[in-house]
Amino acid sequence: MGRAAEMLGVTPAFLRSLDTARLIVPQRSSGGHRRYSRYQLRLAQRARDLIDQGTPLEAACRIIILEDQLAEAERINARLRQDRLKGETPHLPD
């Protein structure tokens, strides 16, 4: 956690607050240390940017979740459009 916090220029407490808010839930090592993926670090950086702009933590987390959901919906729509243009049966994700 210390290294991740250092990379992002935040405190470990900030990363714990994102865990508490359920924005990012890191994996744990066998020793119980938090392990963050690159994707989780990008989310944490986005949260920090929003908070630095004056957005409250809970609102920042909600914005990030909605942005992520929108991006996934756009990917699905693009895939469905491609399938339709090819005349294939759409394949929706599970």
Side-chain angles (χ1 to χ4, degrees), residues 17-25 39 42-44 46-47 50 55-75:
S17 71
L18 296 180
D19 190 356
T20 300
R22 309 291 293 166
L23 178 63
I24 56 175
V25 180
Y39 175 72
R42 284 193 303 270
L43 292 179
R46 178 73 175 121
L50 286 169
T55 307
L57 175 68
E58 292 297 324
C61 291
R62 186 68 181 138
I63 289 167
I64 293 165
I65 289 166
L66 290 171
E67 287 175 341
D68 197 48
Q69 289 173 343
L70 176 60
E72 178 62 18
E74 288 172 341
R75 282 190 292 276

Side-chain angles (χ1 to χ4, degrees), residues 10-94:
V10 299
T11 64
F14 176 77
L15 291 176
R16 282 192 294 275
S17 71
L18 296 180
D19 190 356
T20 300
R22 309 291 293 166
L23 178 63
I24 56 175
V25 180
Q27 297 292 318
R28 297 280 182 153
S29 69
S30 58
H33 299 283
R34 289 176 174 88
R35 300 285 185 207
Y36 296 95
S37 68
R38 287 186 177 118
Y39 175 72
Q40 289 173 326
L41 293 175
R42 284 193 303 270
L43 292 179
Q45 182 62 56
R46 178 73 175 121
R48 179 180 180 225
D49 293 344
L50 286 169
I51 291 166
D52 286 351
Q53 294 170 14
T55 307
L57 175 68
E58 292 297 324
C61 291
R62 186 68 181 138
I63 289 167
I64 293 165
I65 289 166
L66 290 171
E67 287 175 341
D68 197 48
Q69 289 173 343
L70 176 60
E72 178 62 18
E74 288 172 341
R75 282 190 292 276
I76 291 168
N77 283 338
R79 188 173 45 233
L80 290 172
R81 273 191 224 102
Q82 285 178 345
D83 289 350
R84 190 178 75 204
L85 289 173
K86 293 177 186 176
E88 297 176 7
T89 302
H91 298 96
L92 295 175
D94 296 329

